[in-house]
Amino acid sequence: MGKGLKVITWEIQASMPYWTKISTMLSITKIFTFESAHRITDYDGPCCQVHGHSYVLHVTVSGKELENDMLLDFKLLKSILQEGVISQFDHALILKENEKNRLDFGGFDQKILWMDDEPTAERMLLWIKDRIIPKLPPKVNLESLSLYETATCYATWTP
C-alpha cells in the first residue's frame, strides 16, 4: 500500500510544471519557410515588378528560466508563428496598401496581405515582431529575427 501511494504521489508531481532559474541566458531558434510574392511600389529597379521569394525565417527566443527543463516548447513556438505569421504570408501577394496597388490589385481574386509599409524584408520583420512578442510567455524574450529573401540576402531584427 505504501508503494502505491508513492507511485501516485510521483505521478502527480511529474505531471505538474516546474520552473527552474538558471544563472546564464539560454536561447533556442526555430526556422520557418514560406513562399510569397511582393513588389516594392515606385522602386527604381526590377523589384517594382511582382516577384516571389522562398523566404526563410529564423526566430530566436531567450530566457533565464526553464519550465520542465525547456525554455519554450518548440511546438508552442511553431504554433505562435504558424497562426500569427506564416498563415498570413504563405502563398500570399504582399503589398503596401496605397492607391497604386489598390488600382492594380484591388480586384485580384487571390490571397493578398496589405501592409501599411512597403513589404521589404526590414518592414516584414517589424510586422512579424509585432505579432510574436505579445504571444510569448512572460519569461521568454524575442531575441532576434532573420528573414532571408535569398540564400545571400537577409535582414535581421534585434531589440
Side-chain angles (χ1 to χ4, degrees), residues 96-121:
K96 178 179 181 178
E97 188 163 9
N98 60 28
E99 186 177 346
K100 184 173 186 176
N101 285 333
R102 280 288 179 189
L103 285 172
D104 291 347
F105 298 99
F108 193 60
D109 189 26
Q110 298 292 317
K111 184 177 177 181
I112 298 178
L113 175 64
W114 297 101
M115 293 182 65
D116 293 334
D117 300 291
E118 292 292 351
T120 61

Side-chain angles (χ1 to χ4, degrees), residues 23-158:
S23 61
T24 61
M25 184 71 72
L26 288 176
S27 65
I28 61 170
T29 300
K30 180 135 179 68
I31 300 171
F32 300 86
T33 60
F34 58 92
E35 308 293 327
S36 294
H38 71 156
R39 82 169 180 183
I40 310 303
T41 315
D42 299 325
Y43 178 77
D44 186 19
C47 292
C48 70
Q49 301 296 319
V50 172
H51 61 285
H53 296 285
S54 295
Y55 287 96
V56 178
L57 174 64
H58 293 228
V59 178
T60 301
V61 297
S62 65
K64 286 189 168 189
E65 294 188 28
L66 304 179
E67 181 180 359
N68 295 327
D69 294 324
M70 291 184 280
L71 176 64
L72 181 67
D73 190 329
F74 281 109
K75 290 188 305 184
L76 178 57
L77 186 56
K78 179 181 177 181
S79 174
I80 290 168
L81 269 290
Q82 186 61 42
E83 289 176 23
V85 176
I86 306 303
S87 66
Q88 302 293 311
F89 282 144
D90 195 36
H91 289 85
L93 174 58
I94 307 168
L95 298 169
K96 178 179 181 178
E97 188 163 9
N98 60 28
E99 186 177 346
K100 184 173 186 176
N101 285 333
R102 280 288 179 189
L103 285 172
D104 291 347
F105 298 99
F108 193 60
D109 189 26
Q110 298 292 317
K111 184 177 177 181
I112 298 178
L113 175 64
W114 297 101
M115 293 182 65
D116 293 334
D117 300 291
E118 292 292 351
T120 61
E122 297 88 341
R123 287 296 190 175
M124 290 171 69
L125 281 176
L126 295 174
W127 189 96
I128 293 167
K129 169 199 63 98
D130 289 344
R131 279 143 188 85
I132 295 174
I133 290 175
K135 304 284 185 184
L136 291 174
K139 298 175 184 186
V140 176
N141 303 307
L142 184 58
E143 185 70 23
S144 68
L145 297 169
S146 292
L147 182 63
Y148 288 75
E149 284 191 343
T150 70
T152 60
C153 297
Y154 68 97
T156 299
W157 171 88
T158 56

